[in-house]
């Protein structure tokens, strides 16, 4: 890539996000830990510094270009190596984050990152979204729930919407135009009390690949029967 390393700071500043020295150091330490732990476990296929900053960090933060996340609570479902929630948390330290991932090794990595970066109000929970969403402390609770690269929208709705409080938002971070997925998810959204609010298209600044942020309003509490038993949403998606 032919850009200077300062692009990250400058492009975020253009979006009204001014990063302090400490925040820039947190991103750099996060990058180093990601690459270091990636040698022992599968966290990401992207390890080149500039690419991590663009395709993981910048892409994650782009959620806040469209949604005001300051001081809000966010459930990140299937966060993997911490995307999108940890880059958002670094930029907006007053957010409250709850991460769920089914792979315990990734949760251990995330706990380590949270500790090393000195982040507070980040809870990392090992488990399946379908099970964790049934616990009263997480159900219908968060201002927002999000997921990036986890499943198709009809499945994601069942993973994510149960975490969102009434009048909160479910934000699905997708790549190419999601028109087909939106049609496929009609019944799922309806049954899980979601209503499409907006789709925001974006391109990554250098690689120029497409991104689409699907924003869904939660219009009522989650019906008792959802989410179904762990594994079922993926095996038998609502159609
Ligand atoms: N969101 C991250 C990103 O954008 O880089 C990680 C994406 S990774 C492809 C998908 C992650 O979702 C994996 O870490 C996997 O363990 C997790 N996952 C898949 N199904 C899940 C479920 N039902 N509950 C919790 N986590 C799940």
């Amino acid at each position: 890539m032919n850009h200077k390393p300062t692009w990250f700071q400058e492009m975020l500043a253009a979006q009204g996000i001014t990063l302090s020295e400490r925040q820039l150091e947190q991103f750099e330490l996060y990058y180093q830990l990601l690459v270091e732990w990636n040698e022992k476990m599968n966290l990401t296929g992207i390890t080149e510094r500039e690419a991590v900053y663009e395709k993981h960090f910048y892409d994650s933060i782009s959620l806040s270009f469209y949604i005001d996340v300051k001081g809000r609570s966010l459930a990140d479902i299937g966060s993997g190596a911490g995307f999108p929630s940890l880059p958002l948390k670094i930029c907006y330290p007053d957010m409250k984050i709850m991460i769920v991932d089914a792979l315990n090794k990734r949760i251990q990595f995330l706990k380590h990152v949270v500790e090393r970066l000195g982040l507070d109000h980040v809870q990392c929970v090992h488990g399946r979204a379908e099970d964790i969403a049934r616990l009263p402390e997480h159900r219908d609770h968060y201002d927002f729930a999000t997921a990036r690269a986890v499943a198709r929208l009809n499945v994601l709705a069942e993973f994510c919407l149960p975490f969102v409080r009434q009048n909160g938002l479910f934000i699905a971070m997708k790549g190419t135009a999601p028109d087909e997925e939106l049609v496929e998810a009609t019944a799922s959204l309806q049954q899980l009390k979601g209503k499409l609010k907006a789709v925001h298209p974006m391109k990554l600044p250098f690689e120029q690949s497409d991104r689409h942020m699907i924003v869904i309003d939660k219009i009522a509490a989650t019906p008792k029967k959802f989410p179904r038993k762990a594994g079922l949403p993926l095996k038998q998606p609502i159609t």
Side-chain angles (χ1 to χ4, degrees):
M1 286 189 204
N2 56 5
H3 50 272
K4 292 187 189 113
T6 49
W7 68 265
F8 182 67
Q9 193 177 359
E10 288 166 4
M11 283 195 178
L12 291 183
Q15 295 285 345
I17 304 166
T18 310
L19 295 180
S20 65
E21 267 314 303
R22 174 173 154 75
Q23 287 166 310
L24 288 168
E25 279 164 19
Q26 285 175 317
F27 275 112
E28 191 50 30
L29 180 55
Y30 187 8
Y31 167 68
Q32 283 162 12
L33 292 170
L34 182 69
V35 172
E36 186 186 314
W37 281 57
N38 203 45
E39 286 173 13
K40 302 179 273 183
M41 65 173 73
N42 180 18
L43 289 169
T44 176
I46 301 165
T47 53
E48 196 267 320
R49 183 176 181 275
E50 301 279 331
V52 169
Y53 271 74
E54 180 180 12
K55 294 182 198 171
H56 285 324
F57 296 168
Y58 185 89
D59 187 34
S60 294
I61 298 162
S62 70
L63 186 148
S64 72
F65 302 167
Y66 306 99
I67 311 285
D68 184 4
V69 295
K70 284 184 219 88
R72 297 306 188 99
S73 58
L74 171 74
D76 184 6
I77 308 307
S79 183
F83 308 122
S85 56
L86 289 191
L88 284 165
K89 173 69 184 174
I90 296 172
C91 291
Y92 301 96
D94 58 355
M95 283 184 85
K96 292 170 195 71
I97 306 289
M98 197 280 296
I99 285 171
V100 182
D101 202 283
L103 264 190
N104 197 27
K105 280 201 281 186
R106 295 193 176 138
I107 291 293
Q108 295 315 311
F109 166 73
L110 293 173
K111 285 183 174 170
H112 183 76
V113 171
V114 165
E115 197 198 311
R116 288 288 306 275
L117 270 56
L119 302 174
D120 59 3
H121 299 292
V122 181
Q123 193 184 0
C124 303
V125 181
H126 171 226
R128 305 280 287 260
E130 303 93 306
D131 297 323
I132 306 304
R134 288 218 162 257
L135 304 175
E137 66 266 36
H138 297 297
R139 192 174 177 85
D140 293 332
H141 180 76
Y142 298 90
D143 294 322
F144 312 126
T146 190
R148 192 189 79 152
V150 175
R152 287 182 73 81
L153 188 62
N154 58 347
V155 176
L156 268 194
E158 193 164 355
F159 286 173
C160 293
L161 273 165
F163 287 94
V164 183
R165 64 162 169 80
Q166 198 170 327
N167 301 319
L169 298 174
F170 158 40
I171 306 137
M173 300 184 77
K174 292 282 176 184
T176 47
D179 306 7
E180 205 184 296
E181 272 190 67
L182 275 166
V183 173
E184 186 186 57
T186 308
S188 175
L189 290 178
Q190 197 178 27
Q191 291 187 39
L192 284 142
K193 309 298 174 195
K195 189 168 179 282
L196 181 66
K197 184 183 164 93
V199 179
H200 300 291
M202 186 194 90
K203 276 189 193 296
L204 285 182
F206 300 101
E207 199 221 22
Q208 288 285 302
S209 56
D210 289 317
R211 294 289 185 268
H212 290 84
M213 204 158 300
I214 307 173
V215 184
I216 289 157
D217 270 322
K218 169 99 168 237
I219 55 173
T222 307
K224 275 203 174 65
K225 67 173 178 176
F226 294 118
R228 290 168 294 160
K229 216 167 128 261
L232 260 192
L234 197 60
K235 237 183 275 165
Q236 289 168 26
I238 302 166
T239 50

